[in-house]
Structure formats: C-alpha cells, structure tokens
Amino acid sequence: MSQAPPTPSSPEPSLDSTVGPSVEGSGEMSHREILEALSGLLLAMFVAMLSSTVVTNALPRIVADLHGSQTGYTWVVVATMLAMTATTPIWGKLSDLFSKKLLVQLALVIYIVGSLIAAFAPNMEVLIGARAVQGLGVGGLTALVQVVIATMISPRERGRYSGYLGAVFALATVSGPLIGGVIVDSALGWRGCFFVGLPIAVAAFFLLQKTLHLPVVKRPVHIDYLGATLLVGGVSTLLVWVSLAGNQFAWASSTTAVLVGAGVAMLVAAVYVEARVAVEPVIPLRLFRDRTTTLATIASVMIGVAMFGSTVYLSQYFQTARGMSPTEAGLMSIAMVGGLFVSSLVSGRIISDTGVWKRWLVGGMLLVVVGLGLLGTIDETTSLVMIGGFMAILGIGLGATMQNLVLSVQNNVTLADMGAASSVVAFFRSLGGSIGVSALGALLSHQVAAQVTEGYVAAQRPPTFSADSHAVPDVVTLPGWEQSIWEHAFGSSFGHLFVVATPFALVALLCVLLIREVPLRTSNLEAEAEASPEVAAELHRAIVRKVRT
C-alpha cells in the first residue's frame, strides 16, 4: 500500500524528477496545460457551489411541502455545511498521502449519491441526511480543488488563476438561485434542483480523468480517525444544542448541560489527540505557530459566521417578507454575486501582476463590515434598489477577501503541508458558517415565532393552517391579513440577523490588519528550499546538473 522514499543509493534523478514530481508540481506547466488541467477542477468546484445555491430558493417551498419548521429549514443548510466542515481537513490530509485526482473523483461520486437520495426524499429527516452525504462530497471538492491548484501553480501566479475560481464561484452563485427558482416554479418542482448538478458532476469526473495528471508520492499512511471522530462529534453536538435550545428545551436545562458538556469534552479531547497522540493529525497544530496562519484562521471563522450565517437567509427574506417567487428571489441575488464576480477577477489579476495582496484583504473586509451594517437596517418596507446596493457592497468585499485569505496562508507553508494548511482555512471558514447558520437560524426562529404570535393576538384571529408554533407556511398562499403578519415578522427579524453578524466581521477585519504581508513566492520550489536545507542543497545540485547537460 505504501512505498518507501528513495534512498541515497537510488539513481541520480534529473531536475524535473527531483524537484518537480517529488513535490507533485514542478512549476513548469504552461498556461495552456494549466487551463486544461483546470477545466475539470473548475467544473468540480461549480458542482460544489451549485449544490448550495441551487437549493436556496427552493427551501421555503421544500419546508412547506414536507411540513417542516424553521429549525428544519436551518438544518437542511447546516447538515451540508457541517459534513463539509468536519471532513474538509480530512480530505486535505488525504491529499498529502494519496492521489489527488482519485480523491477529487471520489468526492464527485459521493456528491452524486447524496443528490439522488435528496431528490427522492419523502420527508425532512431523509432530506437532511441526504444533504449531509452531499456535504461529504462538497467538503472534498472544496478542499481538493484549492490543494491541486496550489500544487500546480506558484503563489505569485496563483492570483491569476484564483480569478477563474472566483468567476466560477460567482457563476454558480448567480446561476444557482436562478436555475433553482425556475425549476421550482416549473413542473419539475423542488426535487428537480437535486438532479440539475448530476450531468455536470459526471462531466467533471471524466474530464479530470483526461486532463489532470499529477505525479503521486506515496509514503506511510497514518489517518487520524480518532481525532476526526472527536472533531466531528464535538462540533455536531454543539450545533444540535444551538439549533434546538429555546424550542425543544430551555437554554438553562439539564439537556443543555449534557449537550454542551459532551461537545466541549470531545473538542478538548480532539485537541489533545491532535497535539500528543496522532502521528498524522487532521489539523496539525504546529501550523498555528505561524502568525499568518493563526490570524487567517480566526478571520476565516469570523467571515464564516458573518457571511454564511446571514446571507443564507436572504432568499427566505425575499420570498417570505417580500412575497417574491423563487425565480424573482434568484434575480435579486445578482446584485451581491455580480460584485463578488468583478471583485474576485480584478483583485486576482492585480495581485498576480504586482505581488501585493494585503491591501485587498483590508479593503475587502472594510466593505464586508459596511455591507453587513447597511443590511442590518432593512425590513419588509425597504426599497429593493437600496437592498441591491447593500448586497453589491457586501459582494465586492467578499470577492476581494475569500480567495486571497487562503492565498496568504498558502504562501507561508511548504508544499508538504499545502493540503493540510489549505483545508484548515477552509475548515474554519465552514465551521464559522455552520455556527452562524445554526445560531442565527435559532435566533430567527425564536423572533419570528414571537412576532407571529403577537400578530395573531393583535388580529384576534387564529391561523388558517394547522401546524405547530414554529412551522413555516407557504406565505404567498395565505390570506392577505395573515400574509401581512408573516411578512412583518420575517422582515423585521432579518435585519437583526445582519446586526448580530456585523461584530464578527469587525473581528475578522482586525485579524486581517494584523497579518504581516510577505512577498508572494514566484515558484513552488522556493517553499521546499525554505523548509529544508537538504532540499535546498539538492535543488542547487539538480540545477547545476541541468545546466551542464
């Protein structure tokens, strides 16, 4: 299963075989070769992003059709994010041990299986489980695409190609809600949203087989199953507590004590295992000795809370507070994603040309803070033009921040740790997103339920539908007087979510300000030379041999 590393007695390798394949990337690929290899990766990333965005505008209809609650709405999103969060560092570690191409293809297969289960889900419970399976695949795609790109392309040139990633992200985010909205309003219904990504996933699988060719370095494998299990268990337990407390049981209760105690205990045990027990830890704690990695990780958590925790509910705002159809709600998302698209492409291109990146992080985070603060002022009567402007500001800030935050970390680590470091940043961003979606979803559920109850009491009329106090009806089908109650409840509650999310963005801004800017490497080989005197010496000898021949 494993192969011992070459010994000093091995035949003398050439420059290409010594410095290139041994670290899975020589940095000598032409622009055309890189684009060919990127084609399948970008399709895979498109599938990963589409899995979240295409279902966004379908969620209100799904919850109404399957008789779900606001908590169920939250967990359809959280299940995917949690599975993605928990497995992202595992995928990253596996990429340091096994063939990256096979891992990406495996992630695509898992995604396809989860999508098929979700498409035929008879109830909310099965749907949430299927979304968790999807999340396993999405976690792999999210982590591995970044790792493969980092392997093939030097940090200085990576901004150029990160622009393509940003464009794909923007395309999936723009087209996903639109496609999902059109599908939901068509004869296919919401189940069609889970079929739409399947042809793209299959195409990505075979395109990767044809175009992606990376050398594989095999070494003894030690998968940290115990650390991964404790990590998943701890995060899951705490998110279950945040989602259900206040609805299913009191915040101050014995159930709360059990869940919080169990969650914290598992996370503490996970830290101990990662630091003292694991041979190949899922999250190498030594990475946090680097100031940039530590600050970028904290910033990623805060961005996850602020971004995912607030924006995931925008589609619900447009459909429940403004009475829009899924298609119309999808059109409203163009404002934010258009800004993200332009910002990502422009910042990536300029960073590659200049090698200067910190100013883009700082400027982007400032715009994120401003955008969230402005969105905190909205209610059910706010002008849609103003809301579109607020969303555009937020999108521009996110476009200049997300990919470049990963870039700052990748520029500071060796190729041997590239997979783990990239996935750690993605892991903590997803973790923040899971916490944000779960916590803000619980807050939204509580506020909407309270205001709806007050609305019915003021109207002195009972609900026209039979459901529990936390169920979410299809608002557009309600009588006019009842529709107004729900629209006001959602409209006034959504603004509060953005207000709560803003301080987290401020913490991320502070972390970005403290990151020390390091010139971007012009070659991946520099990472190995900096990391090891032996590698540097071998690199020098190989270059001399190459010149002599």
Side-chain angles (χ1 to χ4, degrees):
M1 181 176 180
S2 61
Q3 176 180 326
T7 64
S9 60
S10 301
E12 182 175 88
S14 67
L15 171 62
D16 292 334
S17 64
T18 300
V19 188
S22 65
V23 292
E24 292 202 31
S26 65
E28 300 294 333
M29 296 177 68
S30 68
H31 179 60
R32 178 178 178 179
E33 289 171 334
I34 291 174
L35 288 181
E36 289 176 349
L38 273 179
S39 58
L41 294 172
L42 294 179
L43 275 182
M45 180 59 77
F46 182 77
V47 165
M49 296 298 101
L50 193 69
S51 68
S52 298
T53 58
V54 76
V55 77
T56 301
N57 287 324
L59 280 174
R61 194 69 58 84
I62 291 173
V63 172
D65 187 34
L66 297 182
H67 308 291
S69 63
Q70 183 63 46
T71 299
Y73 183 109
T74 298
W75 271 91
V76 171
V77 178
V78 170
T80 302
M81 295 191 69
L82 179 58
M84 178 179 70
T85 300
T87 58
T88 292
I90 300 175
W91 286 106
K93 174 54 64 177
L94 290 175
S95 73
D96 290 331
L97 306 175
F98 299 109
S99 166
K100 294 174 176 58
K101 181 168 84 171
L102 289 179
L103 289 173
V104 175
Q105 291 175 314
L106 175 61
L108 284 168
V109 170
I110 294 174
Y111 166 82
I112 290 172
V113 171
S115 298
L116 289 173
I117 298 173
F120 295 103
N123 52 52
M124 289 293 290
E125 290 76 16
V126 173
L127 177 61
I128 291 171
R131 292 283 289 171
V133 175
Q134 273 190 317
L136 296 178
V138 172
L141 297 175
T142 303
L144 295 168
V145 169
Q146 295 275 7
V147 171
V148 172
I149 290 177
T151 302
M152 295 190 303
I153 308 167
S154 70
R156 180 64 181 266
E157 289 297 316
R158 205 171 297 148
R160 177 184 186 183
Y161 297 97
S162 292
Y164 295 120
L165 270 183
V168 168
F169 180 87
L171 179 63
T173 311
V174 169
S175 62
L178 289 174
I179 294 172
V182 170
I183 291 175
V184 173
D185 288 335
S186 71
L188 293 174
W190 60 264
R191 296 182 187 276
C193 293
F194 297 105
F195 286 113
V196 71
L198 298 183
I200 303 173
V202 172
F205 183 95
F206 288 105
L207 195 55
L208 285 169
Q209 184 64 32
K210 179 180 179 181
T211 63
L212 185 60
H213 304 290
L214 291 176
V216 179
V217 177
K218 294 183 178 180
R219 56 190 177 89
V221 176
H222 302 280
I223 304 298
D224 181 19
Y225 295 109
L226 178 58
T229 302
L230 290 171
L231 196 62
V232 173
V235 172
S236 302
T237 302
L238 291 178
L239 290 185
V240 168
W241 165 66
V242 169
S243 296
L244 301 182
N247 294 335
Q248 305 298 323
F249 51 84
W251 287 97
S253 64
S254 58
T255 305
T256 289
V258 170
L259 290 176
V260 173
V264 171
M266 281 188 280
L267 291 179
V268 170
V271 171
Y272 176 80
V273 169
E274 299 298 274
R276 300 293 183 86
V277 178
V279 177
E280 295 277 1
V282 173
I283 301 179
L285 299 184
R286 57 185 166 76
L287 292 176
F288 297 106
R289 296 171 187 164
D290 176 65
R291 172 180 172 179
T292 296
T293 301
T294 301
L295 291 171
T297 299
I298 298 172
S300 295
V301 175
M302 298 299 108
I303 290 173
V305 172
M307 182 184 70
F308 293 109
S310 55
T311 58
V312 74
Y313 294 107
L314 274 173
S315 176
Q316 191 179 19
Y317 164 80
F318 289 123
Q319 292 185 58
T320 55
R322 307 308 292 259
M324 292 185 177
S325 68
T327 303
E328 292 168 337
L331 288 171
M332 284 301 301
S333 69
I334 292 178
M336 184 174 74
V337 183
L340 190 153
F341 176 84
V342 173
S343 176
S344 179
L345 282 179
V346 171
S347 64
R349 175 68 66 173
I350 295 177
I351 287 172
S352 285
D353 291 340
T354 64
V356 177
W357 50 269
K358 182 175 177 179
R359 64 186 61 173
W360 293 96
L361 280 179
V362 174
M365 279 311 308
L366 278 172
L367 290 178
V368 169
V369 172
V370 171
L372 288 173
L374 291 173
L375 285 170
T377 66
I378 67 173
D379 59 22
E380 76 277 12
T381 64
T382 306
S383 164
L384 292 178
V385 174
M386 291 180 63
I387 294 176
F390 299 163
M391 292 169 65
I393 293 172
L394 179 59
I396 292 171
L398 291 173
T401 302
M402 292 176 59
Q403 295 298 331
N404 295 328
L405 197 61
V406 177
L407 176 64
S408 68
V409 173
Q410 291 176 338
N411 189 54
N412 268 42
V413 300
T414 67
L415 283 180
D417 284 329
M418 191 70 72
S422 301
S423 61
V424 161
V425 176
F427 165 79
F428 280 101
R429 184 172 62 203
S430 299
L431 177 61
S434 300
I435 294 170
V437 171
S438 185
L440 295 182
L443 176 63
L444 179 65
S445 177
H446 176 74
Q447 290 192 332
V448 169
Q451 294 201 37
V452 164
T453 300
E454 292 177 3
Y456 282 118
V457 170
Q460 297 184 343
R461 301 174 70 173
T464 61
F465 61 97
S466 177
D468 64 60
S469 60
H470 293 284
V472 180
D474 190 352
V475 176
V476 296
T477 64
L478 299 176
W481 66 271
E482 194 171 19
Q483 192 175 90
S484 297
I485 292 175
W486 283 89
E487 287 179 350
H488 174 70
F490 275 106
S492 58
S493 298
F494 277 110
H496 189 62
L497 294 188
F498 291 103
V499 172
V500 173
T502 301
F504 293 95
L506 283 170
V507 174
L509 173 60
L510 178 62
C511 291
V512 167
L513 286 170
L514 295 175
I515 289 178
R516 182 172 57 251
E517 184 163 19
V518 177
L520 294 179
R521 300 184 187 116
T522 57
S523 170
N524 275 333
L525 305 183
E526 294 178 25
E528 296 309 301
E530 292 169 5
S532 169
E534 292 79 7
V535 173
E538 181 59 33
L539 174 60
H540 175 74
R541 289 193 294 271
I543 293 174
V544 170
R545 290 193 298 269
K546 191 73 171 179
V547 171
R548 288 175 177 173
T549 57

